[in-house]
Amino acid sequence: MKNLQKLKPIALFLVASLFLASCSSDNNEDIAIPDDPEAEFDGELSVFDTGEDNRNVVINGANLSNNLASVKVAFRSSENSMRRLYVTQNVANSGEVPFEFAVSGITVDDKKDGSLDLTSANRNAFEFEIPFPAPTSADANIVYTLWATTGRGDFRDISKRNAIGETALGTITINGSGSNGNGMNAFSAKLLAAPLGNGTSNTFISLFNGEIYKISDGEEFAALWDFGYFFGNSNRASLASASNYPSDIVNIPTISGVAQTDLNNCFFAKSTLTTTDFDNVSSSADLNSIVTPTAERVTQLEVGDIIEFEDQYGNKGLLNITAIVDGFGNDGSIEFDIKVQN
């Protein structure tokens, strides 16, 4: 097993071909492939469009030192230029989230959506050495998923602008000793503001990470938006998918610069369930009985309403409306708790 501290740093985005490095103004100098034929790795992942690759790597976390797995990650695309590398992390089946290089001494250049920016030297082939954290004793495993795109992709849709093929990805599974999670995410007391015409209100939410976004945050975050809040004279407190958000209130494509076809769908229906029923949902399996709704808006919401939903990616869930402040712009808002499959 290799000691990562002994590797000579070479800029992350300089590899033009296998084990070739050159000088650059990029400051990504902390993740490297060494020019050393005797270098050893805990795993080697390769995703090629020409075959003869190794797309699934399994590592025993008990054999690792410093709780890190050193993995050589190689991608090749003879047909398309690779511009971004997407990496997600799923800890103990708790749901996929963007992988952040939160390892001491590691810094990388990335896009606002969390993907890694590939410079022109890496467009057709690259090899990186990436240190992946291993599970702690309480985690069953961590699964990392990696794919390359020709432009802005989608953390929840590997086929979007995939540079190698619609299903082309690599997985790195690092096993630990614990048990898996319940396959469900829970977000508490999320507040969305009524929209402002300039798009600067915190109006949209992502079911992927529970984060709230401004419409003016722009195209880098568009793939993460699932639904937003608005308030109408007749429909009052309402929710709508990003794709079906009322353009007479705020025109999302115009403000965000995102094409209508790139905005997510999300489907809603008011439920007969109670807040007690909501509180009793404890796992992904408890949400399987939800019938896929057909409407992309739900209106005239009141505190205590339970809303069933299904996102564009097939994840089902419930919203529990906990507070509403009637009003437009900065004067209005809604709060809710969420339980959603991951």
Side-chain angles (χ1 to χ4, degrees):
M1 187 179 306
K2 178 170 37 50
N3 185 338
L4 298 182
Q5 302 302 319
K6 294 181 180 180
L7 290 179
K8 178 181 178 181
I10 304 174
L12 169 61
F13 300 124
L14 301 184
V15 184
S17 59
L18 300 182
F19 296 93
L20 175 64
S22 63
C23 61
S24 170
S25 61
D26 287 340
N27 59 8
N28 301 290
E29 300 177 349
D30 299 305
I31 301 178
I33 282 290
D35 189 8
D36 179 3
E38 298 183 359
E40 297 179 0
F41 302 90
D42 299 308
E44 297 190 16
L45 179 78
S46 53
V47 182
F48 304 150
D49 62 353
T50 54
E52 298 183 353
D53 52 13
N54 181 31
R55 300 188 180 190
N56 298 288
V57 174
V58 179
I59 298 171
N60 185 351
N63 297 330
L64 301 174
S65 61
N66 300 321
N67 210 42
L68 289 173
S70 170
V71 181
K72 182 172 79 172
V73 174
F75 276 71
R76 295 184 206 165
S77 174
S78 59
E79 298 293 330
N80 299 310
S81 293
M82 298 179 289
R83 297 179 181 273
R84 301 189 187 202
L85 178 66
Y86 282 80
V87 186
T88 64
Q89 171 183 276
N90 189 344
V91 180
N93 196 33
S94 61
E96 291 186 272
V97 297
F99 173 59
E100 298 181 2
F101 290 80
V103 178
S104 178
I106 296 296
T107 58
V108 297
D109 279 344
D110 53 12
K111 293 290 191 178
K112 290 182 179 180
D113 70 346
S115 59
L116 296 185
D117 189 14
L118 303 175
T119 61
S120 57
N122 305 134
R123 293 290 163 78
N124 293 113
F126 63 79
E127 288 192 352
F128 300 153
E129 178 194 11
I130 302 179
F132 291 97
T136 64
S137 59
D139 301 325
N141 59 41
I142 301 179
V143 179
Y144 299 94
T145 303
L146 303 86
W147 67 98
T149 65
T150 59
R152 178 171 51 82
D154 184 341
F155 273 106
R156 290 176 289 182
D157 182 3
I158 65 165
S159 67
K160 187 170 185 178
R161 300 188 176 98
N162 195 307
I164 296 177
E166 286 192 353
T167 61
L169 57 81
T171 62
I172 300 165
T173 302
I174 307 178
N175 290 317
S177 59
S179 59
N180 280 317
N182 59 15
M184 183 185 76
N185 282 334
F187 309 124
S188 297
K190 290 297 179 179
L191 184 148
L192 299 183
L196 295 172
N198 61 7
T200 59
S201 52
N202 293 312
T203 298
F204 277 81
I205 188 169
S206 171
L207 297 169
F208 177 57
N209 56 17
E211 295 295 324
I212 295 173
Y213 296 92
K214 301 173 183 178
I215 302 171
S216 58
D217 282 339
E219 63 179 2
E220 283 298 322
F221 299 105
L224 298 174
W225 303 339
D226 287 297
F227 63 86
Y229 177 63
F230 68 97
F231 188 85
N233 286 321
S234 57
N235 287 326
R236 313 300 286 175
S238 305
L239 299 174
S241 72
S243 176
N244 196 247
Y245 199 81
S247 59
D248 59 331
I249 295 179
V250 173
N251 189 302
I252 297 178
T254 298
I255 292 180
S256 67
V258 179
Q260 184 69 36
T261 54
D262 280 344
L263 296 173
N264 284 330
N265 304 106
C266 193
F267 304 91
F268 308 92
K270 288 186 178 181
S271 177
T272 59
L273 297 176
T274 66
T275 55
T276 299
D277 296 325
F278 177 89
D279 292 339
N280 288 335
V281 171
S282 59
S283 71
S284 175
D286 294 335
L287 300 169
N288 286 336
S289 61
I290 293 175
V291 177
T292 303
T294 58
E296 293 195 61
R297 297 182 191 178
V298 58
T299 62
Q300 298 182 341
L301 297 172
E302 298 179 357
V303 173
D305 281 347
I306 304 297
I307 308 302
E308 300 176 358
F309 67 86
E310 182 171 329
D311 69 16
Q312 178 170 304
Y313 308 92
N315 299 307
K316 298 179 179 181
L318 296 172
L319 298 173
N320 177 24
I321 309 301
T322 57
I324 295 173
V325 177
D326 290 349
F328 304 91
N330 288 329
D331 295 328
S333 64
I334 189 170
E335 293 186 43
F336 46 79
D337 295 330
I338 304 176
K339 293 184 177 181
V340 59
Q341 294 173 331
N342 57 47

